[in-house]
């Protein structure tokens, strides 16, 4: 897997960038963050960028419009080694955290839905199985998930309040040598297409994680219809009606909220990188558009107000890039603090959402058409700012760090 990433050689990566050649700086990377990357990290970025340019961008708009997840891309994502890319062994690529961040950034340049799919598989399913699972669970699921032959989902949120997972009602009770699971989960990415669900439930022994397999009697996972966001991603409800589970389906390594929360930290880390890609896609399109859109006798790009708006986008993207790179280096050095992840997720998703909305406006009426990327990214980012901790939740995490007081 690593080899497939490494041997594919430097790809175009930047090929969809604006055609102008007189620029001293890359408008999508004004501080040349790219030069801070190792050769391997740059290669990973180029390889994923090429995949997105060649295979994602040609289909994603139609998928979004049709409310369809492009399942046909799964084999190629697996072949590139993008599932569980941070895990060593089990057929996984064993890449560092910066490389994982770059994978998220490039995928989200295509679409947040595709990045969500990979985030869930990698950070919310493979990570807990690797971290808290038995040897048998790891052997059974991790290689198959790395190959894209098994898909996973992560069930934590419940309909009565996702921001407060400690209030979960889904529960499992021991019965004979088995467990019996009852309850429901809401807003679960990949739910309907998942072969295995990591489900967090209250038990007499604390909060435990269960591996619930598709087709088990009493388990259903209907897709949530009519979403106006992440339309190229599957989102589902999960229902458990006396689902009987053997002891071997419990993740043995954790029995508290630390289990799901540590998964969220992994996923939020990747999510902090992803929206940089959405914002770059929007700015890139605006640079091209404002060069050719002539109003009041000159191109929009010649207007001071437009330049201020474009410059402000570049400023915010640059800050987010530097923040994420620093976050990745801290993570790889084993010095990451969850509050830093909260600050980065809050900053970078807000940055991208504001940029996508502003680009939508700068396109005028055309901005509401999916022919241009901003409105799709804007609608997607409305989910990204809500899931994995809403913006308010991350603000409260940072507030608690500053004051020592929990204001939840
Ligand atoms: C497309 C999509 C995919 C998702 N995928 C998954 C998944 O794969 N697995 C999973 O488990 N979950 C998933 N989620 C759920 C997501 O994590 C939750 O939606 C999120 O945590 C918010 O929970 P909620 O929707 O219940 O909102 P609530 O928790 O009810 O929040 C409502 C509002 O109250 C605010 N709020 C909450 N607490 C406070 C407070 N203390 N003070 C002030 N304001 C507060 C929030 O910021 C928000 O504005 C997904 C959601 C979406 C939209």
């Amino acid at each position: 897997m690593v080899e497939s990433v490494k041997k594919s050689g430097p790809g175009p990566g930047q090929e969809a960038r604006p055609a102008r050649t007189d620029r001293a700086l890359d408008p999508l990377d004004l501080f040349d963050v790219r030069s801070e990357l190792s050769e391997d990290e740059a290669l990973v970025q180029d390889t994923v960028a090429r995949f997105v340019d060649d295979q994602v961008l040609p289909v994603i708009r139609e998928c979004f419009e049709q409310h369809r997840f492009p399942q046909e891309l799964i084999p190629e994502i697996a072949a590139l080694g993008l599932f569980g890319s941070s895990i060593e062994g089990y057929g996984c690529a064993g890449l560092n955290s910066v490389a994982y961040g770059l994978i998220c950034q490039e995928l989200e340049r295509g679409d947040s839905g595709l990045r969500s799919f990979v985030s869930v598989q990698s950070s919310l399913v493979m990570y807990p199985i690797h971290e808290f699972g038995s040897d048998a669970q790891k052997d059974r699921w991790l290689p198959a998930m790395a190959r894209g032959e098994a898909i996973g989902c992560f069930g934590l949120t419940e309909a009565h309040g996702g921001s407060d997972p400690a209030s979960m009602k889904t529960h499992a009770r021991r019965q004979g040598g088995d467990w019996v699971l009852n309850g429901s989960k809401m807003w679960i990415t990949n739910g309907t297409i998942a072969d295995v669900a990591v489900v967090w439930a209250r038990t007499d022994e604390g909060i435990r994680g269960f591996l619930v397999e598709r087709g088990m009697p009493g388990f259903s996972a209907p897709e949530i219809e009519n979403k106006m966001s992440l339309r190229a991603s599957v989102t589902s409800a999960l229902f458990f009606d006396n689902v009987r589970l053997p002891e071997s389906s419990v993740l043995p390594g954790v029995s508290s909220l630390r289990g799901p929360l540590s998964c969220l930290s992994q996923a939020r880390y990747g999510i902090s990188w992803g929206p940089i890609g959405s914002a770059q896609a929007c700015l890139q399109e605006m640079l091209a558009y404002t060069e050719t859109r002539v109003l009041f006798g000159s191109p929009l790009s010649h207007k001071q107000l437009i330049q201020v708006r474009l410059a402000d986008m570049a400023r915010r993207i640059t800050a987010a890039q530097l923040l994420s790179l620093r976050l990745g280096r801290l993570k790889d050095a084993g010095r990451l603090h969850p509050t830093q992840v909260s600050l980065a997720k809050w900053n970078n998703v807000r940055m991208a959402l504001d940029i996508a909305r502003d680009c939508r406006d700068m396109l005028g009426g055309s901005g509401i058409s999916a022919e241009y990327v901003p409105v799709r990214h804007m609608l997607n980012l409305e989910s990204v700012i809500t899931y994995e901790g809403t913006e308010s939740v991350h603000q409260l995490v940072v507030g608690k760090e500053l004051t020592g007081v929990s204001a939840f």
Side-chain angles (χ1 to χ4, degrees), residues 108-189:
E108 199 143 355
R109 186 169 61 79
D111 192 84
S112 305
L114 197 64
R115 199 270 308 135
S116 300
F117 171 73
V118 173
S119 289
V120 168
Q121 177 93 339
S122 299
S123 293
L124 295 180
V125 184
M126 296 176 78
Y127 169 80
I129 292 174
H130 186 253
E131 202 67 15
F132 308 121
S134 65
D135 286 344
Q137 290 166 341
K138 291 180 204 180
D139 290 340
R140 166 143 190 229
W141 291 110
L142 294 179
M145 296 190 82
R147 291 193 301 269
E149 291 164 9
I151 300 304
C153 71
F154 173 89
L156 177 65
T157 302
E158 299 186 359
H160 60 273
S163 301
D164 182 16
S167 70
M168 77 171 64
K169 294 179 179 159
T170 297
H171 59 269
R173 299 221 163 82
R174 282 188 187 276
Q175 207 172 83
D178 291 342
W179 290 85
V180 177
L181 180 68
N182 278 289
S184 62
K185 300 287 176 180
M186 189 62 182
W187 302 114
I188 306 305
T189 304

Side-chain angles (χ1 to χ4, degrees), residues 120 154-158 161-163 186-189 230 235 383 386-390 392-393 396 407-408:
V120 168
F154 173 89
L156 177 65
T157 302
E158 299 186 359
S163 301
M186 189 62 182
W187 302 114
I188 306 305
T189 304
L230 287 193
T235 315
S383 283
T386 287
Y387 70 27
E388 296 282 345
T390 65
S392 299
V393 163
L396 289 172
F408 283 92

